[in-house]
Amino acid sequence: MNSTTVRRAGLSIAVVAALTGVAACGSSDSGKDGGKAAGKTVTHVSPIAALRSAVKSTDKADSAKVRSTTSVGDLMAMTANGALTWGDGLKGNLTITYTGGQMAEMMKKAGTASMEARYLPDAYYAHMSDAYAQQAGGGKHWIKYSYDDLAKLGGASGSFMKDQLQNSTPNQSVKLLLASGDVKKVGEETVSGAHTTHYSGKVDVADLAQKSSDLSAEQLSALKKQLTQAGVTTETVDVWIDDEDLLVKKSEKANTANGAMTNTTYYTEYGAKVTAEAPPASDTKDFADMMKSGGLASGGTGTSS
């Protein structure tokens, strides 16, 4: 494992783990399998009214267990499992496993196919293999990724990622559909044993960032340029909402320069107890310090090379 692989793996992990947290907190699956009868009388409401109710109910839920799958062309395929809370900033733990693509090969070279990602309001931490720790972390297993540092490294897209990580809730995808103005009821379906209503819509990605973040005009302009360069213009979002107005499942699909992107996320056990604390400082290496010592000159993500 050479130093280039170490640096690329570290920066790729930063982007992927951060975006995994955002994706997971934009979707869910309530695994409450026994309390809802599919044949119950349902009051018919407009898609917009139903989505507004889901936003309120899911905000109040505060936490949930998460499982998700994500793929981007031949770049990566991965799963994430764990629990997150969003009542006071995004916090929680996810185990991220790379199952295919270039990222899986890169992670194998770094000594592991999976890692624990720990999310806190100002940063997240990735637990790496012994081999990676010896090569890049001075023997320390946890890498700290400050959201401020990610914003600097990623330019406008980094600022957007920081904003989303610090303000995301599981119903973010519902809010995105509301912001898009393009949403329709698909039908009623059973998901994980629960009766749900399925809604779908298309979102203009650049316009979405403007409506769902507090980025400056300059940052938004740069972000739109980067999104265009990445080949992303629109995103199809599907959500499934149960009879308690809780988000049960979300699916997102988009085309990117690296190929088709798909993400499906489920939540179980709304209200689950979630704790997350910073790892011991004695076993933690700051990513910004690693990049300085490694001589990383580029601000790119490292995921496409």
Side-chain angles (χ1 to χ4, degrees):
M1 183 170 57
N2 59 39
S3 59
T4 299
T5 298
V6 169
R7 293 196 298 272
R8 286 181 176 176
L11 195 48
S12 297
I13 290 161
V15 175
V16 172
L19 293 179
T20 300
V22 172
C25 246
S27 57
S28 71
D29 171 19
S30 173
K32 303 170 186 174
D33 293 352
K36 308 181 180 67
K40 65 178 284 187
T41 300
V42 178
T43 301
H44 295 283
V45 296
S46 72
I48 296 299
L51 294 182
R52 285 175 178 166
S53 295
V55 167
K56 294 179 181 178
S57 296
T58 308
D59 265 343
K60 292 179 181 178
D62 190 63
S63 64
K65 292 186 177 180
V66 177
R67 70 182 191 272
S68 69
T69 59
T70 304
S71 65
V72 181
D74 64 358
L75 179 62
M76 71 169 188
M78 58 178 289
T79 64
N81 291 276
L84 296 169
T85 180
W86 52 91
D88 186 22
L90 181 64
K91 294 186 289 186
N93 301 276
L94 295 177
T95 297
I96 299 172
T97 302
Y98 301 89
T99 57
Q102 298 172 33
M103 271 300 299
E105 292 302 314
M106 187 179 296
M107 289 299 292
K108 287 180 182 178
K109 293 179 181 178
T112 184
S114 66
M115 67 177 187
E116 179 186 348
R118 185 172 297 180
Y119 298 86
L120 294 174
D122 62 340
Y124 75 89
Y125 299 78
H127 188 273
M128 301 302 297
S129 67
D130 289 340
Y132 191 94
Q134 292 300 323
Q135 179 74 13
K140 298 180 179 181
H141 293 82
W142 289 94
I143 306 175
K144 177 183 178 181
Y145 296 93
S146 161
Y147 297 144
D148 288 336
D149 290 337
L150 289 180
K152 294 175 183 176
L153 280 169
S157 61
S159 298
F160 178 60
M161 182 166 60
K162 173 191 172 184
D163 180 75
Q164 293 298 294
L165 273 162
Q166 293 185 313
N167 296 289
S168 285
T169 59
N171 55 29
Q172 193 76 358
S173 55
V174 181
K175 295 177 182 179
L176 303 189
L177 282 180
L178 282 170
S180 74
D182 175 25
V183 58
K184 63 181 179 181
K185 176 181 175 180
V186 177
E188 297 178 22
E189 302 170 17
T190 299
V191 177
S192 298
H195 174 262
T196 71
T197 304
H198 178 187
Y199 300 94
S200 181
K202 284 190 175 182
V203 178
D204 183 291
V205 176
D207 186 48
L208 172 65
Q210 185 171 10
K211 293 179 178 178
S212 66
S213 75
D214 297 321
L215 299 184
S216 68
E218 181 179 359
Q219 289 173 321
L220 286 169
S221 177
L223 174 60
K224 290 178 182 179
K225 180 179 179 180
Q226 291 186 14
L227 288 170
T228 301
Q229 291 173 337
V232 178
T233 55
T234 60
E235 187 172 340
T236 300
V237 179
D238 288 76
V239 298
W240 289 258
I241 298 171
D242 71 11
D243 295 339
E244 295 179 1
D245 295 328
L246 290 170
L247 191 61
V248 170
K249 176 184 177 182
K250 181 265 300 184
S251 174
E252 293 186 20
K253 298 179 180 179
N255 291 320
T256 76
N258 287 309
M261 182 281 291
T262 63
N263 169 269
T264 301
T265 309
Y266 299 85
Y267 275 164
T268 62
E269 300 180 36
Y270 275 104
K273 183 178 180 180
V274 179
T275 58
E277 297 180 354
S282 60
D283 197 26
T284 301
K285 183 79 170 180
D286 193 285
F287 179 68
D289 293 338
M290 288 176 58
M291 292 301 95
K292 291 177 183 177
S293 62
L296 183 66
S298 171
T301 63
T303 57
S304 59
S305 58

